[in-house]
Amino acid sequence: MEHPETHVHIVPYRILIRVWLLLLLLTAVLVATTRLMHEALSVWAMLIITPLKAGLVLFFFMHLKYEKPYLRALVFLTFGLLTIFIGMLFFDILRR
Amino acid sequence: MSYLTEGGRKGIRSWILSTDHKRIGILYLATMVFLFFIAVTIGVLMRIEQLTTGHPLFAPQTYNAFFTVHGVIMIFMFVLPGLPAVFGNFFLPIMLGAKDVSFPRLNLMSWYFFIAGASIVVASLFTGKGPPDTGWTFYAPFSLETGTNVSLGVFGAFVLGLSSILTGLNFITTIHRLRAPGMTWHRMPLFAWSVYGTAWIQVLATPIIGITLLLVIAERVFGIGVFDPAKGGDPVLYQHLFWIYSHPAVYIMILPAMGAITEIIPTFAHKTIFGYRAIAYSSLAIAFLGSLVWGHHMFTSGMSEMANLIFSLLTFIVAVPSAIKVFNWTATLHKGSIEVKPPMLFALTFIFLFAIGGLTGLMQGALAINVQVHDTYFIVGHFHYVMFGGTGMGFFAALLYWFPKMFGKTYNQKIAVLAWVPIFIGFNMLYFGMLVLGYMGMPRRYFTHLPQYHTGQIIASIGGFILAAGLVMFFANLIVALFKGKKAEQNPWGGVTLEWQISTPPPLENFSVIPEIKDRPYVFNPEATR
Amino acid sequence: MSSPAATPPLVHRESHKDYEGSKLGMWLFLFTEIILFGGLFILYSAYRARYPLEFHEAGQHLNVVIGVANTIILLTSSLTVAFAITAIQKGARTICLCCLSATIVLGAAFLVNKYIEWSGEIGHGLYPNSPVLMQRPHGDQIFFGLYYSMTGLHGLHVFAGIAVLSIMLGLVAGKRITSADFSKLENGGLYWHLVDVIWIFLLPLFYLAA
């Protein structure tokens, strides 16, 4: 029943709250940028802030920061695969 | 005492409620062989249709349904579940030195999804406006407009996809977590490596077809519009999404077959496998690279030239790891002490037929050739060489190899070899015939043909009938052996992986004491160095 | 990968629980969900490139206030479910139950908002195959086709997540989930977080496109 390598990582409440506040702040910045700035800047804001928010949820709420490296690698692999699909698709879409 | 006699339940409940990976493997085997023969029958009917000219035996609409249903059953219910569902389930835990997979109940649920999906597809044949007539590829916009039972049919395929995903998930976790003490990754049998690569494709690629099929249903029911040109949709995007799964799917089909061959060849050459790491890593390479070549099904669809070039290049590259495996097998045979028993006969046949399939695949990857042969019988010949000559023969080889261990009975080896003759001759008459017909310009999915193709079609059809007869002989032999076969010994072939160290058939929990692994697999004579 | 000294210990049928394995299995399932939605994101990216102006314009018909409100709701629900897991790990069952309940309530609020939102859009005739939409340019039709598909599929997942967490609530209340064995709750939480992550991507794609 006992597994030698099982480590229980307990993420403290205060870290969770800080991450949540950061997420709210980033959302506010994102909405403000897209409302107030012109298009190009909005797109950059979206491209940077959105993955950042997702990353915060993955790393802290979903404990990915505290997991073994191979699991982090697999998560990146999955998102990476989607990115490759979109990238390769655009060789077709953009040049038709 | 074995898994066939132990266990709390009796009768049919002991099978359909069992979470024992071995029983689940056999449940898959029984249902898959049954469905296989339904699809073979449809194939025979198609060959009969092509014998007639002038007045076709079956109406064109019927023929459309034939090739659709033949494809859906063969691909989604036989070749895809294929070796993982039967031999992966039965032997992966044993080869790893484990008592079962990581999630036994989820494993049973996989089989339930398989049955549910198959039933839904069968239901689509007999309800509404009849079976789908779109081809197993369900291309938009026709699949969005046709009145036949497309929604039901693709929903069945969706449910079958769930079965595949859960099996892959289970196998990945099992390989990560349940290897016996001392079994490092590089001491795992190569069948397990192939199942591992396959499982990743099952988990990461199948959801794409999942969403694509759901979107077809959403289009037909709600008119969402994403593939409908009338609403601004792009049918070529359907093809992209479809093939992003369906190309990696063919590696789900072939990798475990290659894995089985990799088990069989060392055993019957009495020699350790040549290039263990090359085979292990090439399985992963095939899984990854195979995810990047899907556009080669779409060279004539209107994609940009740049896309065509890139997909063609990647298609050539992905052939390399497959070729590496073929070299490793031949190198293993070299200076081995070879015994051509039935499993070995079919394993060698695999290498030969798969090579033809792979080479014709390379031909198709060349843009100039592709433009000529796309949607002709050449393509049909090619994929039957790889899926049937490859995975099919691999399946038969694995079945002949592991049958004694699974059922504790021996089969008539002479008849197994005898059945090989019509299978081999019929197969090549039929599918090489198709390569020739396709090269001459015979289009696929046509219920009839022009006079210049008639001789070729006759030869192909005769080959098809011979092949079908051989298949019947092959399976009849095994079915008879199930009931009347002599008791098998523990290790009839002299294999050295873990499944041959336990009793035949295996006990319920596989191992009374989990073994401790001290060495690489495939060590035949301890004094030989590698 | 692992050396002999660190290979997994013996796992017998009787003492069944493999915490790491169960977590790995859950993550693998999450990968399939990421790819499932990923297919829709692939479509979105292709159509956005094809109809940039229409996507920009069509987004203005959506209710940004509800969209942002729902974002705050889901982010907060992620907080509460993460709290619930920390709580059970520390043995604080009551806090866990409160936080789980809060998560479920927030999830329900999300769905109520969604209902209000969709009713509004459908009321304006902006739904697939509607006479109003069929008059509009192709880009609009595709935008709304994707909008309903993606937020609809997401909504189904919110619903499923609420069901899963409700079951977890019962198990915590019944002391079947404890500080010694909380794997199920953690896995349920992972599922909920993924639903949040998907929404994080959906927000800019549709509501902030304008």
Side-chain angles (χ1 to χ4, degrees):
Chain A
M1 184 72 122
E2 291 321 297
H3 301 262
E5 80 267 23
T6 298
H7 50 282
V8 172
H9 36 79
I10 304 183
V11 184
Y13 295 121
R14 65 176 189 288
I15 292 194
L16 296 174
I17 295 195
R18 284 184 202 158
V19 169
W20 174 69
L21 288 170
L22 191 50
L23 283 166
L24 292 180
L25 179 66
L26 286 171
T27 307
V29 170
L30 179 65
V31 175
T33 317
T34 54
R35 301 269 111 199
L36 303 173
M37 303 291 179
H38 67 72
E39 174 115 23
L41 211 60
S42 307
V43 173
W44 279 111
M46 279 192 252
L47 284 175
I48 293 175
I49 295 181
T50 304
L52 206 55
K53 287 167 66 182
L56 282 170
V57 175
L58 280 160
F59 271 75
F60 291 98
F61 287 166
M62 295 170 85
H63 292 202
L64 200 55
K65 178 175 182 314
Y66 309 94
E67 297 289 354
K68 295 194 189 145
Y70 85 94
L71 195 58
R72 280 196 289 280
L74 291 177
V75 173
F76 278 114
L77 174 81
T78 304
F79 281 105
L81 196 63
L82 274 179
T83 313
I84 293 177
F85 288 158
I86 295 180
M88 292 187 69
L89 178 69
F90 269 65
F91 277 117
D92 179 29
I93 301 284
L94 287 182
R95 287 165 175 271
R96 257 201 246 157
Chain B
M1 284 292 273
S2 76
Y3 77 97
L4 288 167
T5 50
E6 289 177 75
R9 302 184 190 94
K10 300 275 170 259
I12 197 148
R13 296 183 70 219
S14 73
W15 284 96
I16 62 175
L17 294 178
S18 169
T19 58
D20 175 13
H21 66 99
K22 301 181 285 297
R23 286 190 184 238
I24 293 175
I26 292 183
L27 285 173
Y28 272 108
L29 179 63
T31 37
M32 281 160 60
V33 171
F34 172 69
L35 291 161
F36 174 71
F37 273 102
I38 294 179
V40 167
T41 307
I42 299 178
V44 169
L45 292 176
M46 286 196 279
R47 292 321 311 165
I48 293 177
E49 174 86 329
Q50 297 290 356
L51 281 179
T52 65
T53 48
H55 300 286
L57 188 56
F58 302 107
Q61 178 65 24
T62 310
Y63 192 81
N64 290 354
F66 277 169
F67 62 69
T68 304
V69 176
H70 172 83
V72 169
I73 294 181
M74 281 298 192
I75 290 180
F76 291 115
M77 297 176 221
F78 182 69
V79 190
L80 268 174
L83 288 101
V86 179
F87 306 108
N89 262 316
F90 200 105
F91 288 105
L92 180 68
I94 299 178
M95 282 181 162
L96 298 180
K99 295 200 170 191
D100 207 313
V101 292
S102 280
F103 308 115
R105 287 173 301 180
L106 200 67
N107 206 9
L108 182 62
M109 188 144 94
S110 286
W111 184 71
Y112 287 161
F113 276 131
F114 178 76
I115 296 299
S119 308
I120 294 172
V121 170
V122 169
S124 80
L125 306 183
F126 301 112
T127 54
K129 294 225 176 93
D133 55 351
T134 57
W136 78 275
T137 45
F138 300 114
Y139 272 17
F142 182 57
S143 62
L144 310 178
E145 298 160 5
T146 176
T148 58
N149 263 330
V150 167
S151 290
L152 205 55
V154 304
F155 186 65
F158 176 82
V159 175
L160 288 165
L162 291 175
S163 170
S164 184
I165 287 174
L166 292 178
T167 299
L169 190 159
N170 221 334
F171 286 175
I172 292 174
T173 314
T174 303
I175 291 173
H176 274 259
R177 300 293 305 161
L178 298 185
R179 282 169 288 122
M183 187 179 284
T184 59
W185 282 82
H186 291 112
R187 287 183 184 166
M188 253 190 350
L190 287 165
F191 181 67
W193 272 101
S194 73
V195 166
Y196 185 68
T198 306
W200 274 112
I201 309 175
Q202 285 175 292
V203 165
L204 291 182
T206 314
I208 293 276
I209 191 91
I211 191 66
T212 310
L213 297 174
L214 287 182
L215 282 172
V216 169
I217 299 176
E219 284 258 26
R220 289 177 67 90
V221 175
F222 299 113
I224 298 277
V226 289
F227 301 130
D228 183 356
K231 296 185 178 142
D234 183 359
V236 176
L237 277 180
Y238 171 88
Q239 292 188 34
H240 275 293
L241 279 188
F242 179 84
W243 289 112
I244 287 179
Y245 164 73
S246 299
H247 187 79
V250 313
Y251 298 108
I252 297 177
M253 300 174 198
I254 200 65
L255 276 176
M258 290 173 158
I261 300 305
T262 311
E263 295 296 323
I264 292 172
I265 295 216
T267 301
F268 291 96
H270 298 95
K271 190 162 162 275
T272 193
I273 192 77
F274 181 94
Y276 174 94
R277 289 195 185 209
I279 296 190
Y281 297 154
S282 62
S283 300
L284 299 183
I286 289 173
F288 176 65
L289 290 170
S291 314
L292 306 181
V293 302
W294 76 85
H296 69 220
H297 299 267
M298 299 166 58
F299 285 146
T300 63
S301 67
M303 280 200 304
S304 72
E305 267 202 52
M306 176 65 82
N308 276 359
L309 279 168
I310 290 178
F311 281 118
S312 176
L313 175 64
L314 286 165
T315 302
F316 276 84
I317 293 176
V318 78
V320 172
S322 298
I324 286 177
K325 287 184 193 279
V326 175
F327 296 144
N328 280 304
W329 294 323
T330 24
T332 306
L333 289 169
H334 179 57
K335 293 201 176 166
S337 171
I338 300 177
E339 243 189 314
V340 188
K341 293 255 166 78
M344 184 59 150
L345 177 60
F346 277 82
L348 295 171
T349 308
F350 168 97
I351 298 179
F352 177 70
L353 296 177
F354 176 72
I356 295 179
L359 289 169
T360 48
L362 275 179
M363 287 170 71
Q364 290 164 194
L367 292 170
I369 296 183
N370 192 282
V371 171
Q372 300 297 330
V373 301
H374 179 72
D375 267 348
T376 68
Y377 268 38
F378 191 86
I379 307 291
V380 182
H382 154 75
F383 66 65
H384 281 94
Y385 265 97
V386 278
M387 285 204 258
F388 192 176
T391 303
M393 295 299 148
F395 189 91
F396 298 158
L399 193 51
L400 291 171
Y401 184 54
W402 279 314
F403 183 97
K405 176 60 65 177
M406 292 164 80
F407 299 107
K409 303 264 173 78
T410 55
Y411 53 84
N412 186 321
Q413 294 191 30
K414 284 209 181 66
I415 298 193
V417 173
L418 215 58
W420 176 88
V421 177
I423 289 177
F424 188 78
I425 293 177
F427 182 98
N428 284 296
M429 273 178 78
L430 174 56
Y431 297 117
F432 204 88
M434 284 192 179
L435 291 176
V436 173
L437 278 169
Y439 214 72
M440 287 164 55
M442 170 77 206
R444 65 185 287 201
R445 293 175 170 169
Y446 275 37
F447 75 101
T448 187
H449 51 264
L450 291 172
Q452 67 243 44
Y453 303 119
H454 197 55
T455 313
Q457 290 279 14
I458 294 182
I459 296 174
S461 288
I462 295 177
F465 301 147
I466 298 174
L467 170 62
L471 291 172
V472 170
M473 200 193 304
F474 179 90
F475 278 98
N477 184 26
L478 292 179
I479 294 174
V480 166
L482 267 182
F483 299 103
K484 301 236 176 84
K486 282 204 296 272
K487 191 160 154 28
E489 33 177 292
Q490 177 171 315
N491 192 354
W493 316 117
V496 296
T497 34
L498 278 177
E499 75 269 28
W500 305 108
Q501 320 300 325
I502 58 178
S503 54
T504 297
L508 181 61
E509 302 227 313
N510 304 336
F511 302 94
S512 45
V513 176
I514 301 285
E516 197 170 325
I517 309 302
K518 299 204 167 78
D519 204 351
R520 310 165 288 139
Y522 316 117
V523 177
F524 282 93
N525 15 358
E527 62 270 12
T529 49
R530 234 311 291 143
Chain C
M1 264 190 203
S2 52
S3 63
T7 46
L10 312 184
V11 177
H12 301 278
R13 213 170 243 268
E14 311 80 39
S15 73
H16 224 289
K17 306 215 186 229
D18 177 11
Y19 170 71
E20 282 287 331
S22 162
K23 197 190 310 188
L24 173 61
M26 190 64 209
W27 274 101
L28 290 171
F29 176 68
L30 293 187
F31 296 158
T32 70
E33 294 278 35
I34 292 171
I35 302 275
L36 185 79
F37 278 91
L40 287 167
F41 280 102
I42 291 175
L43 279 181
Y44 180 94
S45 67
Y47 283 125
R48 178 84 183 240
R50 179 190 276 217
Y51 300 116
L53 293 171
E54 290 93 329
F55 270 45
H56 186 83
E57 194 272 335
Q60 309 200 4
H61 293 276
L62 296 181
N63 192 326
V64 179
V65 173
I66 295 189
V68 175
N70 268 348
T71 305
I72 297 174
I73 287 175
L74 275 189
L75 288 175
T76 311
S77 72
S78 259
L79 174 70
T80 50
V81 77
F83 258 49
I85 290 164
T86 296
I88 199 69
Q89 286 174 318
K90 295 186 181 207
R93 213 164 65 89
T94 315
I95 299 183
C96 178
L97 289 168
C98 287
C99 291
L100 262 182
S101 307
T103 313
I104 293 170
V105 166
L106 286 166
F110 180 94
L111 289 178
V112 166
N113 273 344
K114 182 119 294 244
Y115 173 79
I116 296 172
E117 193 189 8
W118 275 26
S119 304
E121 279 132 20
I122 292 173
H124 282 124
L126 292 170
Y127 55 92
N129 260 349
S130 77
V132 171
L133 198 57
M134 302 276 258
Q135 305 282 7
R136 301 181 72 90
H138 280 170
D140 283 23
Q141 300 192 45
I142 298 292
F143 179 87
F144 280 99
L146 286 171
Y147 168 74
Y148 282 106
S149 313
M150 293 176 83
T151 59
L153 188 63
H154 177 262
L156 280 176
H157 281 76
V158 172
F159 185 76
I162 292 176
V164 165
L165 291 180
S166 304
I167 296 174
M168 297 304 139
L169 189 65
L171 291 175
V172 173
K175 297 197 189 159
R176 303 276 298 278
I177 293 177
T178 64
S179 59
D181 180 13
F182 53 87
S183 172
K184 284 197 185 69
L185 180 62
E186 192 175 13
N187 288 343
L190 283 176
Y191 183 79
W192 187 259
H193 289 304
L194 188 74
V195 168
D196 185 24
V197 168
I198 292 168
W199 184 260
I200 287 175
F201 283 100
L202 286 180
L203 174 71
L205 254 46
F206 290 106
Y207 296 90
L208 305 180

